[in-house]
PDB file of all heavy atoms in Angstrom:
ATOM      1  N   PRO P 271      50.336  36.730 -53.694  1.00 59.00           N
ATOM      2  CA  PRO P 271      50.315  38.016 -54.349  1.00 59.00           C
ATOM      3  C   PRO P 271      50.270  39.012 -53.184  1.00 59.00           C
ATOM      4  O   PRO P 271      49.588  38.962 -52.258  1.00 59.00           O
ATOM      5  CB  PRO P 271      49.116  37.982 -55.150  1.00 59.00           C
ATOM      6  CG  PRO P 271      48.162  36.941 -54.586  1.00 59.00           C
ATOM      7  CD  PRO P 271      49.080  35.938 -53.974  1.00 59.00           C
ATOM      8  N   SER P 272      51.021  40.126 -53.485  1.00 73.00           N
ATOM      9  CA  SER P 272      51.030  41.187 -52.553  1.00 73.00           C
ATOM     10  C   SER P 272      49.966  42.288 -52.922  1.00 73.00           C
ATOM     11  O   SER P 272      49.725  42.477 -54.041  1.00 73.00           O
ATOM     12  CB  SER P 272      52.386  41.869 -52.459  1.00 73.00           C
ATOM     13  OG  SER P 272      52.747  42.389 -53.632  1.00 73.00           O
ATOM     14  N   GLY P 273      49.396  42.895 -51.967  1.00 81.00           N
ATOM     15  CA  GLY P 273      48.368  43.910 -52.139  1.00 81.00           C
ATOM     16  C   GLY P 273      49.068  45.227 -52.543  1.00 81.00           C
ATOM     17  O   GLY P 273      50.249  45.359 -52.702  1.00 81.00           O
ATOM     18  N   PRO P 274      48.209  46.348 -52.532  1.00 86.00           N
ATOM     19  CA  PRO P 274      48.839  47.610 -52.873  1.00 86.00           C
ATOM     20  C   PRO P 274      49.795  48.091 -51.733  1.00 86.00           C
ATOM     21  O   PRO P 274      49.514  47.800 -50.590  1.00 86.00           O
ATOM     22  CB  PRO P 274      47.623  48.518 -52.967  1.00 86.00           C
ATOM     23  CG  PRO P 274      46.492  47.823 -52.323  1.00 86.00           C
ATOM     24  CD  PRO P 274      46.885  46.362 -52.358  1.00 86.00           C
ATOM     25  N   LYS P 275      50.806  48.700 -52.164  1.00 89.00           N
ATOM     26  CA  LYS P 275      51.796  49.244 -51.169  1.00 89.00           C
ATOM     27  C   LYS P 275      51.262  50.354 -50.309  1.00 89.00           C
ATOM     28  O   LYS P 275      50.454  51.194 -50.928  1.00 89.00           O
ATOM     29  CB  LYS P 275      53.079  49.663 -51.856  1.00 89.00           C
ATOM     30  CG  LYS P 275      53.832  48.559 -52.528  1.00 89.00           C
ATOM     31  CD  LYS P 275      55.097  49.062 -53.053  1.00 89.00           C
ATOM     32  CE  LYS P 275      55.859  47.881 -53.766  1.00 89.00           C
ATOM     33  NZ  LYS P 275      57.074  48.377 -54.380  1.00 89.00           N
ATOM     34  N   PRO P 276      51.473  50.469 -49.063  1.00 92.00           N
ATOM     35  CA  PRO P 276      50.971  51.639 -48.262  1.00 92.00           C
ATOM     36  C   PRO P 276      51.646  52.927 -48.776  1.00 92.00           C
ATOM     37  O   PRO P 276      52.674  52.888 -49.323  1.00 92.00           O
ATOM     38  CB  PRO P 276      51.419  51.298 -46.836  1.00 92.00           C
ATOM     39  CG  PRO P 276      52.394  50.270 -46.991  1.00 92.00           C
ATOM     40  CD  PRO P 276      52.230  49.574 -48.319  1.00 92.00           C
ATOM     41  N   LEU P 277      50.854  54.026 -48.655  1.00 92.00           N
ATOM     42  CA  LEU P 277      51.379  55.265 -49.146  1.00 92.00           C
ATOM     43  C   LEU P 277      52.513  55.769 -48.236  1.00 92.00           C
ATOM     44  O   LEU P 277      52.559  55.526 -47.056  1.00 92.00           O
ATOM     45  CB  LEU P 277      50.242  56.342 -48.985  1.00 92.00           C
ATOM     46  CG  LEU P 277      49.118  56.129 -50.008  1.00 92.00           C
ATOM     47  CD1 LEU P 277      47.985  57.166 -49.758  1.00 92.00           C
ATOM     48  CD2 LEU P 277      49.557  56.098 -51.482  1.00 92.00           C
ATOM     49  N   THR P 278      53.457  56.443 -48.840  1.00 94.00           N
ATOM     50  CA  THR P 278      54.612  56.954 -48.077  1.00 94.00           C
ATOM     51  C   THR P 278      54.141  58.261 -47.392  1.00 94.00           C
ATOM     52  O   THR P 278      53.085  58.839 -47.674  1.00 94.00           O
ATOM     53  CB  THR P 278      55.722  57.327 -48.972  1.00 94.00           C
ATOM     54  OG1 THR P 278      55.358  58.396 -49.862  1.00 94.00           O
ATOM     55  CG2 THR P 278      56.262  56.100 -49.829  1.00 94.00           C
ATOM     56  N   ARG P 279      54.939  58.771 -46.478  1.00 94.00           N
ATOM     57  CA  ARG P 279      54.631  59.945 -45.766  1.00 94.00           C
ATOM     58  C   ARG P 279      54.511  61.134 -46.748  1.00 94.00           C
ATOM     59  O   ARG P 279      53.617  61.998 -46.594  1.00 94.00           O
ATOM     60  CB  ARG P 279      55.764  60.279 -44.735  1.00 94.00           C
ATOM     61  CG  ARG P 279      55.618  61.546 -43.915  1.00 94.00           C
ATOM     62  CD  ARG P 279      56.745  61.744 -42.912  1.00 94.00           C
ATOM     63  NE  ARG P 279      58.062  61.310 -43.369  1.00 94.00           N
ATOM     64  CZ  ARG P 279      58.803  61.986 -44.159  1.00 94.00           C
ATOM     65  NH1 ARG P 279      58.456  63.163 -44.668  1.00 94.00           N
ATOM     66  NH2 ARG P 279      59.973  61.475 -44.585  1.00 94.00           N
ATOM     67  N   GLN P 281      53.705  61.032 -49.921  1.00 96.00           N
ATOM     68  CA  GLN P 281      52.455  60.836 -50.683  1.00 96.00           C
ATOM     69  C   GLN P 281      51.249  61.365 -49.850  1.00 96.00           C
ATOM     70  O   GLN P 281      50.334  61.983 -50.382  1.00 96.00           O
ATOM     71  CB  GLN P 281      52.183  59.489 -51.147  1.00 96.00           C
ATOM     72  CG  GLN P 281      53.200  58.984 -52.210  1.00 96.00           C
ATOM     73  CD  GLN P 281      53.252  57.527 -52.459  1.00 96.00           C
ATOM     74  OE1 GLN P 281      52.978  56.751 -51.511  1.00 96.00           O
ATOM     75  NE2 GLN P 281      53.371  57.181 -53.767  1.00 96.00           N
ATOM     76  N   ILE P 282      51.209  61.027 -48.577  1.00 97.00           N
ATOM     77  CA  ILE P 282      50.071  61.427 -47.732  1.00 97.00           C
ATOM     78  C   ILE P 282      50.106  62.932 -47.587  1.00 97.00           C
ATOM     79  O   ILE P 282      49.101  63.625 -47.520  1.00 97.00           O
ATOM     80  CB  ILE P 282      50.152  60.700 -46.376  1.00 97.00           C
ATOM     81  CG1 ILE P 282      49.891  59.182 -46.631  1.00 97.00           C
ATOM     82  CG2 ILE P 282      49.118  61.261 -45.392  1.00 97.00           C
ATOM     83  CD1 ILE P 282      50.096  58.359 -45.416  1.00 97.00           C
ATOM     84  N   GLN P 285      48.519  64.493 -50.426  1.00 97.00           N
ATOM     85  CA  GLN P 285      47.068  64.351 -50.333  1.00 97.00           C
ATOM     86  C   GLN P 285      46.550  65.417 -49.412  1.00 97.00           C
ATOM     87  O   GLN P 285      45.482  66.068 -49.630  1.00 97.00           O
ATOM     88  CB  GLN P 285      46.694  63.013 -49.768  1.00 97.00           C
ATOM     89  CG  GLN P 285      46.850  61.829 -50.682  1.00 97.00           C
ATOM     90  CD  GLN P 285      46.342  60.578 -50.182  1.00 97.00           C
ATOM     91  OE1 GLN P 285      46.380  60.319 -48.989  1.00 97.00           O
ATOM     92  NE2 GLN P 285      45.958  59.567 -51.049  1.00 97.00           N
TER      93      GLN P 285
END
Side-chain angles (χ1 to χ4, degrees):
S272 62
K275 293 182 181 178
L277 295 175
T278 65
R279 177 180 36 80
Q281 290 169 322
I282 295 171
Q285 286 182 336

